[in-house]
Amino acid sequence: MYKVDEIIVYKKEVCKIRKIKEKYLQNKDYYIMSPLEDPSLVINIPVDNTKDIRPVITKEEAESLIAKIPSIELLNSDSKNIETEYKQLLNEDNLENLVKIIKTTYLRNYERTKTKKRISEVDQAYFNKAETRLYNELSISLNLPLEEVKEYIITKLK
């Protein structure tokens, strides 16, 4: 069982447990939590709902993921169904998939700007979603302010 003020991941969202209400609904204990991204949002879930909750990755796991970034494959950027692939990867609770989206969308938009084309709104939207999710969790794991995570990763990869 998690504790009050603990940071966890609930359905891909990094959340802080605000309180635990005993016998809240149907005589069950509930976690009352809020996503770090939007503290005004309140999520109530039964304490025994273990399939949708996991701990934030450890610092060692975060460092390992960062070290692996150069070897994480890109998606086939010529695919006509790239948005479907982005959605599918985003819906899985897998940080490597977020890196795939970030790398692929960044490269696709970089190539477009090199040829003086507008960046893809779809790519930009998925880039932002993946980056936000990844950096929120890495921020907690690495004990860094959210705004320093990107620079930390860049520095580690140099």
Side-chain angles (χ1 to χ4, degrees):
M1 189 160 136
Y2 298 101
K3 297 175 179 50
V4 173
D5 290 333
E6 199 166 344
I7 308 291
I8 52 95
V9 178
Y10 170 68
K11 291 188 175 183
K12 304 171 284 291
E13 290 286 334
V14 179
C15 297
K16 182 174 187 173
I17 298 174
R18 302 285 176 204
K19 58 182 144 186
I20 299 171
K21 280 195 175 179
E22 294 181 9
K23 307 208 184 314
Y24 182 55
L25 290 172
Q26 298 175 341
N27 217 22
K28 287 184 175 184
D29 295 348
Y30 271 68
Y31 292 122
I32 312 302
M33 56 192 168
S34 299
L36 295 184
E37 231 179 287
D38 183 4
S40 67
L41 184 64
V42 177
I43 302 169
N44 302 311
I45 63 156
V47 167
D48 61 5
N49 181 356
T50 55
K51 71 178 175 62
D52 293 328
I53 299 178
R54 68 171 174 80
V56 171
I57 63 171
T58 65
K59 182 174 183 166
E60 293 74 26
E61 291 168 324
E63 294 287 359
S64 174
L65 175 68
I66 292 168
K68 224 192 291 186
I69 287 174
S71 66
I72 294 175
E73 300 270 326
L74 295 172
L75 298 170
N76 178 0
S77 64
D78 295 334
S79 170
K80 299 284 184 232
N81 301 322
I82 193 104
E83 186 173 8
T84 304
E85 290 181 56
Y86 291 157
K87 276 183 189 168
Q88 183 179 348
L89 292 175
L90 206 56
N91 284 331
E92 296 172 10
D93 188 17
N94 181 324
L95 298 180
E96 281 189 36
N97 287 347
L98 299 178
V99 173
K100 277 183 191 177
I101 294 169
I102 292 166
K103 286 178 67 172
T104 302
T105 55
Y106 177 84
L107 188 64
R108 283 171 50 97
N109 279 334
Y110 175 75
E111 292 298 323
R112 291 181 71 80
T113 56
K114 267 185 20 185
T115 58
K116 307 253 189 276
K117 293 180 184 172
R118 285 185 14 179
I119 63 170
S120 161
E121 289 180 27
V122 168
D123 285 336
Q124 193 61 45
Y126 282 96
F127 175 85
N128 291 340
K129 288 176 188 175
E131 198 176 47
T132 299
R133 265 195 208 154
L134 180 66
Y135 294 175
N136 275 340
E137 187 158 355
L138 291 180
S139 166
I140 301 302
S141 300
L142 299 168
N143 197 24
L144 288 172
L146 185 59
E147 51 282 346
E148 291 179 21
V149 174
K150 187 174 191 172
E151 191 57 43
Y152 179 84
I153 293 170
I154 293 168
T155 302
K156 282 286 193 179
L157 294 177
K158 285 186 179 174

